[in-house]
Amino acid sequence: MTAAPTESASGRLPGGGQATAAGRVLAVLSAFGPAHPALTLSEISRRSGLTLTTTHRLVGELRQWGGLERGPDGRYAIGLRLLELGALAPHGLQLRELALPYLDDLHQATRANVHLAVRDGSDGVYVEALRARGAVKLMSRIGGRWPLHATGTGQVLLAFTEREAQDQLLRGPLKRFTPDTITDVAVLRRVLADVRRTGVAIAENQLTPDALAVAVPVRGQRDEVVAALGVTVQRGTVQSHALVPALAATARGISRALGAPSAKPEASGAVRASRTPGATALR
């Protein structure tokens, strides 16, 4: 039987982080993930690097607060209180709620998988993922995160990241997911420069084999890029340029709703477009 982990005498957890009160709580919450949505007390202890006694106390407090809930089988899962707090994030559920009608129109028009992502450090996090029936199978879900270099939405977010932060992100190794994943920094920099110039990212077989992803930026109140909107289809079923008009129109609609100056109708009396003007169903 494996012994329960112990916090070191120096006040650090086995992972190297300071064993502060907040750090311990975050360690408990970080024990959960897509592959581990429900855990026993012992599993939380082992994955968080905390003693069983400390884990028992913190889990009890989190459960009482609503951050964790206990199922009939005795396993713990993330509670609804955290979902309520997540809804307050301006680049999270609030953005998702505002964008959802536009995303649904895009989904209906293109018959493609649709994603809305924001940057969190070196990852792109999906705040919405609409899957098309019979479309290419993807490893995507709401809250899922992937390295920025390996997805269309991620490349958009990385392309419009401040240069200093971009340089820092590109210093680390770039993980390869398929033979076509861009892992050469020089090549990736050229791709990002092209994305900044054209406003469109095209990623083929980068994260998922036989998949074509096209993505564009979504802008906020100061015209800063706050999110990336993308569609993914089976490679060979449609040309990438055929997806751009519907994508661009949808991104402009979301950006306009967010108050982006560049997305406002022309003062010369331009007709206000529908959410996805000119979008035709792609079959």
Side-chain angles (χ1 to χ4, degrees):
M1 182 176 178
T2 304
T6 58
E7 298 151 35
S8 67
S10 64
R12 290 182 176 273
L13 299 175
Q18 288 288 345
T20 62
R24 292 186 181 100
V25 171
L26 293 175
V28 168
L29 295 176
S30 297
F32 296 88
H36 305 279
L39 299 169
T40 65
L41 197 64
S42 296
E43 289 170 338
I44 297 173
S45 173
R46 183 173 65 253
R47 288 179 54 78
S48 66
L50 299 171
T51 64
L52 195 58
T53 300
T54 299
T55 302
H56 184 272
R57 175 175 57 81
L58 293 177
V59 165
E61 292 177 1
L62 282 167
R63 185 186 177 194
Q64 184 176 11
W65 177 71
L68 292 178
E69 56 185 45
R70 189 170 186 264
D73 60 355
R75 292 177 176 268
Y76 294 90
I78 296 297
L80 291 177
R81 187 68 180 273
L82 291 177
L83 180 63
E84 294 173 7
L85 291 178
L88 300 177
H91 289 173
L93 295 182
Q94 283 186 351
L95 172 62
R96 173 183 177 271
E97 184 175 352
L98 181 148
L100 194 54
Y102 301 90
L103 302 181
D104 186 61
D105 282 354
L106 179 64
H107 186 241
Q108 296 297 325
T110 62
R111 308 288 180 88
N113 296 303
V114 175
H115 300 102
L116 184 67
V118 298
R119 183 172 77 88
D120 184 25
S122 61
D123 295 329
V125 179
Y126 293 131
V127 295
E128 184 54 272
L130 302 179
R131 297 189 182 185
R133 183 177 301 175
V136 60
K137 293 184 178 180
L138 301 173
M139 299 177 289
S140 60
R141 61 177 181 81
I142 297 176
R145 59 174 61 227
W146 295 99
L148 293 171
H149 71 281
T151 67
T153 52
Q155 288 176 11
V156 167
L157 295 170
L158 186 56
F160 290 95
T161 295
E162 302 83 356
R163 186 56 185 264
E164 183 178 349
Q166 186 183 104
D167 289 342
Q168 184 176 358
L169 291 174
L170 294 181
R171 289 192 194 108
L174 301 177
K175 183 177 179 180
R176 184 180 296 279
F177 294 91
T178 75
D180 293 325
T181 305
I182 301 175
T183 58
D184 184 295
V185 173
V187 173
L188 182 58
R189 285 192 185 280
R190 290 196 294 271
V191 169
L192 298 179
D194 194 51
V195 173
R196 286 193 298 273
R197 179 179 61 83
T198 63
V200 179
I202 300 173
E204 293 191 57
N205 301 336
Q206 294 291 302
L207 180 65
T208 305
D210 211 24
L212 167 67
V214 183
V216 297
V218 173
R219 298 182 180 274
Q221 291 183 350
R222 296 181 299 278
D223 265 341
E224 77 282 17
V225 174
V226 297
L229 172 67
V231 295
T232 306
V233 298
Q234 191 85 28
R235 188 184 185 193
T237 59
V238 63
Q239 295 295 317
S240 58
H241 65 79
L243 296 166
V244 174
L247 261 174
T250 303
R252 184 177 179 85
I254 299 172
S255 298
R256 185 167 58 241
L258 290 172
S262 63
K264 293 179 180 179
E266 293 286 339
S268 59
V271 178
R272 183 178 297 271
S274 62
R275 287 195 288 259
T276 52
T280 56
L282 302 173
R283 294 179 175 83

